Amino acid sequence: MQHLSIGPLYYEYSRHNEPRLTVQPGEIFSVDSEDAFSGQIRTDGDRRDKTKVPGSNPQTGPIVVVGAQPGDALAVTIHSIEPLIGQCATRTGDARNLAQWLGPDCPHGVHICPIREGQIFWSNETTIPYRPMLGCIGTAPAHGVPTTLPAGPHGGNMDIVEVAPGHTVVLPVFVPGGYLYLGDAHAAMGHGELSASGLEMPARSILSIELRKGNNLPSPRIETPEEIMTIVSGAPMEQSIAQAFAYLILWMEADFGVPRWRAYDLLTHVARISVGYFPIGTVGVKVPRKYLHAR
C-alpha cells in the first residue's frame, strides 16, 4: 500500500504544488495529516501562535489520480481514520459569534483529550464516542487558489460530520489529475462546530478513489449505505440550503428517475439537514436511499 506522510503543510487548494502521490483508480492508500492547529497544541499549556504559523487547517497533498480530467469526479471512499498520537485537542478561545449573548470574556479553554477504546476522554467525568471525520477534503480549482478556511464547489473546509469512515465523498475535477488534498481530522464534532474547533487530531486515513468520467458535478456529494447528500457552502445559509435541495432534487431525477416535482414534494417530508461550521454557511441536505425509487 502506498503511504503519504505529512510532509509540507499546505493552506491552499492549489494546482501549482508538486504532486506528492500518484494513485490509480481503485487503489487503496494511506495519508497522514496534521491537526487544524498545525501541531502547536499538544499539552494543556500550549497556545496557538499565529505569528509563527498564521494558517489553520493544514492539508496533506496534492494527490494525483491517473486519468482524471476536468469534468470528471473523484469518488473518495474513506475506509478508516485513526489518531496518530492517541489524543485530540480542543480550544474555546474565540466566542465572537455568541458574544452578544454570552459576553466577550471567553477563556482560552485549551485541553487535551486522550483517545482509547473507542472513547474520547473529554474530562474525568465525561466521555464522547470516537466518531472520526475529515473537516477538510477538496480538489484544486482551475481558477484561483482558495484557502483552507472556506468551503466551495471544490470541497474544502466543509466540516460535515458525514465525511467519515464507510462513506464516499464525491468531488468535482477541475484540473488534470484532480489534485486532491485532505486534513483537519476530528475525533468527533457536533453539528455547526460551535467554537470553530472540533476535537482536532493528527490522523492516518485509509482511502480509495473511484474515477467517474464526465459527471460535471456542480458541488460535492456524499454517498453512504443509507443516504445520499449534496453540499453547498455560502452565506446566507438559507440560500445554501435552497441550492443544496435543488441539487439533490436534480440528482434524484437524473440518476434515480424520480421526477423533480415528486422529489420536491417527497423531500419536504423526509429530508434532513447536516450543518458544517455555521458562520460560513456550509450545509448538506440528505435523503434515505429507501425513497429513491418513489416515482
Side-chain angles (χ1 to χ4, degrees):
M1 184 192 311
Q2 290 198 84
H3 173 68
L4 183 57
S5 60
I6 291 176
L9 300 181
Y10 291 116
Y11 297 87
E12 296 175 327
Y13 294 92
S14 174
R15 62 197 177 279
H16 303 301
N17 295 321
E18 189 71 22
R20 294 193 60 227
L21 185 69
T22 298
V23 299
Q24 295 285 340
E27 177 182 353
I28 296 176
F29 59 98
S30 61
V31 179
D32 290 351
S33 58
E34 186 50 273
D35 68 18
F37 305 131
S38 300
Q40 289 187 324
I41 297 177
R42 294 289 196 250
T43 73
D44 289 343
D46 292 339
R47 295 293 180 266
R48 181 81 167 86
D49 186 350
K50 291 191 175 183
T51 64
K52 294 181 179 178
V53 185
S56 297
N57 302 324
Q59 303 291 285
T60 300
I63 300 162
V64 165
V65 180
V66 174
Q69 294 294 327
D72 296 342
L74 303 183
V76 184
T77 296
I78 303 170
H79 299 286
S80 65
I81 304 171
E82 298 296 336
L84 280 180
I85 60 174
Q87 66 180 39
C88 54
T90 189
R91 63 193 282 264
T92 55
D94 182 357
R96 71 183 75 177
N97 297 305
L98 281 68
Q100 69 182 92
W101 302 285
L102 303 183
D105 55 346
C106 179
H108 197 275
V110 163
H111 65 284
I112 303 300
C113 307
I115 304 168
R116 57 180 182 270
E117 298 177 354
Q119 297 292 316
I120 303 157
F121 288 79
W122 186 81
S123 72
N124 291 333
E125 299 79 22
T126 302
T127 59
I128 297 171
Y130 179 71
R131 291 178 179 154
M133 45 84 68
L134 293 174
C136 293
I137 184 169
T139 53
H143 306 283
V145 182
T147 73
T148 57
L149 291 180
H154 65 290
N157 187 29
M158 297 183 289
D159 283 316
I160 293 288
V161 297
E162 288 83 0
V163 183
H167 299 173
T168 298
V169 184
V170 189
L171 299 163
V173 173
F174 304 100
V175 297
Y179 280 64
L180 178 72
Y181 296 80
L182 61 93
D184 185 29
H186 301 158
M189 191 194 81
H191 287 238
E193 197 183 26
L194 181 60
S195 73
S197 296
L199 288 159
E200 312 286 350
M201 65 176 185
R204 176 165 297 168
S205 302
I206 297 180
L207 314 165
S208 60
I209 299 175
E210 174 194 352
L211 180 59
R212 298 182 182 175
K213 302 297 290 184
N215 274 36
N216 291 300
L217 298 184
S219 72
R221 296 173 174 176
I222 297 177
E223 301 171 359
T224 83
E226 297 81 25
E227 301 168 320
I228 64 171
M229 173 187 292
T230 52
I231 300 171
V232 173
S233 183
M237 186 179 287
E238 295 91 337
Q239 178 68 23
S240 293
I241 292 171
Q243 189 172 355
F245 268 121
Y247 287 164
L248 183 57
I249 288 167
L250 294 174
W251 184 9
M252 292 171 67
E253 182 177 62
D255 287 7
F256 300 97
V258 183
R260 66 183 60 184
W261 298 115
R262 292 287 287 171
Y264 175 63
D265 184 354
L266 181 62
L267 291 180
T268 302
H269 314 299
V270 301
R272 295 293 182 266
I273 294 174
S274 186
V275 180
Y277 180 45
F278 72 96
I280 63 175
T282 302
V283 295
V285 298
K286 55 186 178 179
V287 61
R289 287 182 179 272
K290 67 180 181 180
Y291 295 114
L292 293 179
H293 304 287
R295 298 180 180 84

